[in-house]
Amino acid sequence: MKKTTSIDPARQRSRKGGIQDGLPPLADRISTLIHRIGAHMARICNPSFQEWGVDLVTSRMLVALLERGSLTAGEIVRIMALPQSTISHQLKRLEGLGYLKREVAKQDSRVVIATLTEKGLEVANYANQLSRRVVDELVAAIGEDEVPMVRAALKRADDALEEMYEATPKASPRGT
């Protein structure tokens, strides 16, 4: 019979870079928890969106248009915190699905303005209702009294990461 030895959990964590360097184990890190929440939301919502040909990210773009009316591509970039190229591609795709129309701004031909169509309104309203169910579940899990504190902390985290991104040197294209 083979003899097994147990490793002291505190020693094991420090060897793996957990406690000793100030980081909790990966599963307990804020960044991982936020990732997992996003992944759970996608797993819950994306199957519901399949019939519409959208996913969680594009549904959020539609809900932003539902809430705010027409938006420029730049405004959607800021709301979604995604690259301009991603937003442009998704706007073209959503236009192809008949969910929005894109128009060039009269005062600046470089600016694209997106507006929901009737079909887009239907999808955006469906996405907004699903979002309400998800939010209700999150509020129940967090506790209504703690939601303002959690929301404020998440907004501070979002602001901090946006500042970190803005301060990060951007790679130049290859060959330049």
Side-chain angles (χ1 to χ4, degrees):
M1 184 181 240
K2 191 174 182 180
K3 183 178 177 183
T4 59
T5 58
S6 64
I7 299 173
D8 174 33
R11 235 180 89 216
Q12 186 176 18
R13 281 193 299 268
S14 67
R15 236 189 312 157
K16 291 182 179 177
I19 292 172
Q20 199 170 50
D21 63 7
L23 281 174
L26 181 65
D28 293 335
R29 294 180 194 171
I30 293 169
S31 56
T32 301
L33 293 169
I34 290 171
H35 163 79
R36 288 180 52 81
I37 290 167
H40 287 309
M41 288 173 38
R43 287 179 18 199
I44 291 164
C45 297
N46 284 346
S48 299
F49 294 137
Q50 276 183 335
E51 71 177 277
W52 302 98
V54 298
D55 61 14
L56 183 59
V57 173
T58 50
S59 74
R60 287 179 175 152
M61 292 170 61
L62 295 172
V63 171
L65 288 164
L66 176 69
E67 288 180 353
R68 299 186 184 191
S70 297
L71 290 169
T72 66
E75 289 169 326
I76 297 170
V77 165
R78 283 187 288 287
I79 291 166
M80 300 296 296
L82 291 171
Q84 178 78 39
S85 60
T86 300
I87 296 300
S88 294
H89 172 76
Q90 292 304 325
L91 289 175
K92 287 176 189 169
R93 201 172 74 69
L94 291 168
E95 183 179 44
L97 290 168
Y99 298 154
L100 58 83
K101 62 180 180 169
R102 293 178 310 135
E103 295 178 321
V104 175
K106 289 178 179 73
Q107 61 275 34
D108 187 344
S109 62
R110 297 169 297 171
V111 176
V112 173
I113 301 170
T115 307
L116 289 175
T117 62
E118 286 299 317
K119 192 174 174 185
L121 277 169
E122 184 181 351
V123 179
N125 279 312
Y126 176 81
N128 208 29
Q129 290 169 3
L130 182 54
S131 180
R132 165 53 48 206
R133 293 198 311 268
V134 170
V135 167
D136 288 347
E137 193 68 31
L138 290 171
V139 169
I142 293 168
E144 209 159 321
D145 293 346
E146 294 186 64
V147 167
M149 180 196 61
V150 171
R151 183 180 290 120
L154 289 171
K155 283 183 177 186
R156 288 192 307 274
D158 180 57
D159 290 344
L161 290 176
E162 186 171 354
E163 286 178 28
M164 184 179 181
Y165 172 76
E166 293 299 328
T168 302
K170 308 303 181 263
S172 58
R174 287 185 180 189
T176 59

